[in-house]
Amino acid sequence: MNPLYLTLAMFFLGFIVLSVILTFIPVGLWISALAAGVNVGIFNLIGMRLRRVVPSKIVSPMIKGHKAGLTVTTDQLEAHYLAGGNVDRVVNALIAAERAAIPLPFERAAAIDLAGRDVLQAVQMSVNPKVIETPVVSAVAQNGIELRVRAKVTVRANIDRLVGGAGEETIIARVGEGIVTSIGSSESHKAVLERPELISQTVLAKGLDAGTAFEILSIDMADVDVGKNIGAQLQMDQAEADKRIAQAKAEERRAMAVAKEQEMRASVEEMRAKVVEAESEVPKAMAQALRDGKLGVMDYYNMQNIISDTQMRGTIAQAGKSDSGNDSTTKK
């Protein structure tokens, strides 16, 4: 075989083997770790490959932490990576906590990261408190005047309660509840407008940050506006309701009175019918009396004369009343 071809074949084979070795073994990363003073063995890097751990995700944060003076091991970083955590973010949080003199061990930082919270942001919030602005809270004082309050809550992250602690929504809800309670216990809205800091003092005294991942530093009233006169509006609504109830009862009584009137008219008509019926029996009784001889003809004529005389007197009386009315009208 031609020695030239054999040499080229060996060179090509060696190049392929070297490429495979360099691909499987991160020699460049190993050299970077040695240059940074991080003791990471070549076999440890190979083991990372076998454990399906990206070596750069472990070595680079470890170099960063070593330069910052942190004491972390590859086993800790690998375990956190395999658990699904963000190794680089945890190391950055540890560096920030160490610079700010905040006690934060690696286990706690890893637990916070695995809990789904941003541990780096939590450390930054511990150094630089965050301001949470509440929505407009509507409350009514004892004199019935509505006040609309908007507050700004300054909070700082509590590293010890970050795992399992409530979030910003709980802080906002508790502050709103405290504002409503404080204003509702005030006798007048003027007292709140004169000294709005009383609301802050009352709310802070309630310990609203208990069980949350934050520590409330201050509560400031950003805006206090006067709303509607809720007390007067409620009284107006109550008066309107009472008016409608009274109208309904009056209408009920009127309907009952109309029904009673109709009943009385019907009763009168019934009595008149009975009178007419009784009067119709009079001629029959008189005829029977004449037959039986109990009533004479002269008696009957005398009775008719009395009836005629009575009717005449009534007619004269009616005529006299009419003349008197006409004379009084003429004099006027």
Side-chain angles (χ1 to χ4, degrees):
M1 188 174 182
N2 192 337
L4 179 61
Y5 291 152
L6 182 60
T7 302
L8 291 175
M10 293 295 293
F11 178 77
F12 183 72
L13 181 61
F15 178 77
I16 294 175
V17 173
L18 182 62
S19 299
V20 172
I21 293 175
L22 292 178
T23 302
F24 190 75
I25 302 174
V27 179
L29 193 61
W30 176 66
I31 295 173
S32 299
L34 289 179
V38 178
N39 186 15
V40 180
I42 190 69
F43 293 103
N44 196 0
L45 295 176
I46 296 174
M48 291 181 189
R49 290 287 192 185
L50 296 176
R51 289 188 292 270
R52 295 183 180 181
V53 176
V54 180
S56 61
K57 297 289 187 180
I58 303 299
V59 176
S60 296
M62 193 170 182
I63 293 173
K64 189 189 305 182
H66 178 75
K67 290 298 183 181
L70 299 179
T71 302
V72 290
T73 63
T74 56
D75 292 336
Q76 289 177 324
L77 298 180
E78 280 191 66
H80 187 64
Y81 178 84
L82 292 173
N86 191 324
V87 177
D88 190 62
R89 185 166 56 193
V90 170
V91 172
N92 290 336
L94 291 174
I95 294 173
E98 195 271 338
R99 292 291 186 269
I102 298 175
L104 180 63
F106 177 82
E107 290 76 12
R108 186 178 297 277
I112 294 172
D113 185 63
L114 292 177
R117 295 185 180 273
D118 193 337
V119 61
L120 179 59
Q121 183 181 5
V123 174
Q124 293 173 348
M125 193 182 298
S126 297
V127 178
N128 185 20
K130 181 181 179 181
V131 177
I132 302 174
E133 185 171 343
T134 65
V136 177
V137 179
S138 178
V140 181
Q142 293 183 6
N143 62 347
I145 304 298
E146 177 191 23
L147 293 178
R148 297 178 179 177
V149 180
R150 184 167 52 86
K152 290 186 178 181
V153 186
T154 304
V155 297
R156 179 173 59 193
N158 192 325
I159 302 296
D160 296 333
R161 297 201 303 256
L162 204 59
V163 177
E168 295 182 8
E169 292 79 5
T170 303
I171 292 291
I172 294 174
R174 290 182 179 180
V175 171
E177 179 183 354
I179 291 174
V180 172
T181 303
S182 178
I183 295 177
S185 61
S186 300
E187 295 182 358
S188 174
H189 70 287
K190 296 180 181 179
V192 179
L193 294 176
E194 290 174 359
R195 298 188 61 188
E197 68 275 7
L198 294 177
I199 301 178
S200 304
Q201 297 173 1
T202 303
V203 175
L204 282 174
K206 293 180 178 295
L208 302 180
D209 53 2
T212 65
F214 303 98
E215 179 184 352
I216 298 178
L217 300 179
S218 66
I219 300 176
D220 304 310
M221 299 298 107
D223 189 17
V224 180
D225 295 330
V226 179
K228 299 179 181 178
N229 192 337
I230 303 298
Q233 185 65 38
L234 292 176
Q235 291 178 359
M236 291 173 60
D237 295 340
Q238 184 64 39
E240 183 66 23
D242 294 342
K243 173 185 173 184
R244 293 180 180 178
I245 293 174
Q247 288 178 345
K249 291 182 177 180
E251 184 65 23
E252 180 182 1
R253 290 194 297 268
R254 190 188 69 82
M256 294 178 62
V258 171
K260 186 67 175 178
E261 180 184 2
Q262 296 298 325
E263 291 179 359
M264 295 302 293
R265 289 182 178 180
S267 178
V268 169
E269 294 296 330
E270 182 180 0
M271 297 302 294
R272 287 177 179 175
K274 290 181 179 180
V275 170
V276 171
E277 182 180 1
E279 288 178 350
S280 64
E281 295 294 332
V282 172
K284 296 180 180 179
M286 292 178 64
Q288 186 64 33
L290 289 171
R291 294 192 195 97
D292 296 340
K294 296 180 180 181
L295 180 67
V297 176
M298 295 304 297
D299 295 332
Y300 176 75
Y301 282 129
N302 289 332
M303 184 183 67
Q304 291 296 326
N305 289 331
I306 293 171
I307 293 174
S308 299
D309 185 62
T310 303
Q311 290 177 351
M312 180 184 67
R313 292 175 183 275
T315 302
I316 294 172
Q318 291 293 332
K321 288 181 180 180
S322 300
D323 293 339
S324 300
N326 293 331
D327 293 339
S328 60
T329 304
T330 303
K331 289 180 181 179
K332 290 181 180 179

